[in-house]
Amino acid sequence: MDAPQVTLVVFDGFQPLDLVGPHEVFGHAGYRCRIVAPGAGLVRSRSALPIHAEYGVADVDPGGVDTLIVVGGAGVDEARRDRALVEWVAAAGAGARRVASVCSGVFLLAASGLLAGRRVTTHWKRRDQLTAEHPELTVDCEPIFIRDGRFWTSAGVTAGMDLALALVEEDLGRDRAHAVAQELVMFLRRPGSQSQFSVPLWSAQPSSDPIRLAVDAVHAAPGDRHGVEDLAARAGLSPRHLQRRFTAELGVPPAAYVERVRVEAARRALAEGDDPVDAIARRCGFGTAETLRRAFHRHVGVPPSDYRDRFRSTKEYA
């Protein structure tokens, strides 16, 4: 069997990790990767890191593309005004088995017309721009990546590696994807449904060892008892001292932090497994399905059952 082929599209001002991250994942999995730019030769990234594109769009038959991936970066705003590039992307994507974007690369795909009527994601900072400029899209910047049929879109930078790993798993199986993740010291696997706003991103980080011990305990086992007294014992502090220092260092009180971590754990369980909601509620520390439902409404805006249906409908690993 021939190694799968991936065609990665770049342009001046691309984000280096949007290219290099997925390229490394595919390279370690044995894919044949080719880099296509508006013209063959030197292409400068947003950080001025130069790369050499082997091909220009005039050199590549758009009918011979299997998996097409458009990277992102600040230069995408100029690139989507390049008529020859947009037309080539449209032609290549029309016949490709799969079409994907990393971060703001979705703007180039949208300009090509390929994504009309699709549900997509991008970096959260560009959500409003994408929504305003492309009302034909359903923009959801909660997940790190989304699959809608043969179209895959991902959030910023490192999410492109998660998307690439998911594509490897779809093509070559979980064992191969796991081997790649081990080689690259990646987490296998962050599901596409994982929030761009996971706990380490929405909260400050602890600045002292006692509070770090308490936080680590919550993340290690979200379903365990994590009342103020329990966390204080972990940190070696009095409950009152723990409450004060925890809030000062992380910006939220312990109970609110614990609830957010538990919601994230429940989200992953709902997206990845088939366990009943009440079982997930118990395992993640909510006790009852009703308590989980109320927490979900506060943080996610939908009931757990609707959340599961929503992400199952995208068939991320179908």
Side-chain angles (χ1 to χ4, degrees):
M1 176 180 175
D2 290 340
Q5 184 185 75
V6 174
T7 300
L8 298 119
V9 178
V10 298
F11 40 78
D12 282 334
F14 74 95
Q15 165 61 249
L17 279 176
D18 286 3
L19 170 69
V20 176
H23 194 287
E24 284 297 293
V25 171
F26 291 124
H28 278 75
Y31 284 63
R32 294 175 293 129
C33 297
R34 60 181 175 181
I35 300 174
V36 177
L42 188 69
V43 183
R44 292 196 178 276
S45 71
R46 181 183 181 184
S47 62
L49 176 71
I51 63 101
H52 179 78
E54 309 145 282
Y55 306 97
V57 294
D59 306 318
V60 178
D61 175 10
V65 173
D66 178 64
T67 296
L68 177 70
I69 300 180
V70 179
V71 307
V76 74
D77 291 318
E78 183 66 28
R80 60 189 171 136
R81 290 191 282 269
D82 183 332
R83 183 174 178 180
L85 176 61
V86 172
E87 290 180 349
W88 185 88
V89 168
R97 177 170 64 94
R98 274 187 314 220
V99 179
S101 64
V102 181
C103 196
S104 57
V106 69
F107 283 88
L108 184 51
L109 288 184
S112 75
L114 289 168
L115 297 178
R118 299 289 179 176
R119 178 170 165 262
V120 302
T121 193
T122 187
H123 192 286
W124 60 269
K125 282 189 175 181
R126 302 200 71 167
R127 173 185 57 200
D128 292 345
Q129 180 189 1
L130 186 61
T131 300
E133 294 182 2
H134 292 281
E136 75 278 12
L137 307 181
T138 299
V139 180
D140 182 358
C141 284
E142 185 69 22
I144 59 171
F145 68 81
I146 288 174
R147 177 183 183 179
D148 188 340
R150 66 188 182 96
F151 296 94
W152 303 63
T153 54
S154 71
V157 193
T158 58
M161 297 182 72
D162 296 299
L163 182 147
L165 201 61
L167 298 182
V168 170
E169 183 175 343
E170 182 184 55
D171 288 342
L172 305 178
R174 181 172 176 81
D175 288 347
R176 188 65 168 275
H178 187 266
V180 171
Q182 286 183 315
E183 181 70 20
L184 296 178
V185 198
M186 288 179 63
F187 180 85
L188 184 73
R189 57 181 166 75
R190 289 200 299 170
S193 55
Q194 181 166 318
S195 173
Q196 291 189 41
F197 306 98
S198 57
V199 169
L201 296 179
W202 67 259
S203 71
Q205 296 301 298
S207 57
S208 66
D209 288 340
I211 303 304
R212 188 172 295 111
L213 286 172
V215 166
D216 288 347
V218 176
H219 284 281
D224 285 1
R225 287 174 54 91
H226 295 306
V228 172
E229 293 80 6
D230 304 297
L231 296 179
R234 291 271 188 177
L237 303 172
S238 70
R240 185 174 180 180
H241 195 188
L242 179 281
Q243 179 92 13
R244 185 173 61 252
R245 287 185 59 176
F246 195 105
T247 304
E249 292 185 26
L250 277 78
V252 293
Y257 191 94
V258 170
E259 181 175 86
R260 184 63 186 262
V261 173
R262 287 173 172 170
V263 167
E264 291 295 332
R267 290 169 69 136
R268 291 193 294 272
L270 288 163
E272 297 177 37
D274 297 312
D275 290 345
V277 172
D278 57 350
I280 292 173
R282 291 192 299 271
R283 187 167 72 245
C284 293
F286 290 101
T288 68
E290 177 59 23
T291 304
L292 172 59
R293 187 190 67 80
R294 290 198 299 268
F296 242 67
H297 267 292
R298 281 193 296 273
H299 294 282
V300 186
V302 297
S305 57
D306 288 359
Y307 181 87
R308 169 174 273 168
D309 291 343
R310 175 181 177 185
F311 285 106
R312 289 298 174 83
S313 69
T314 65
K315 299 180 181 179
E316 288 175 358
Y317 297 100

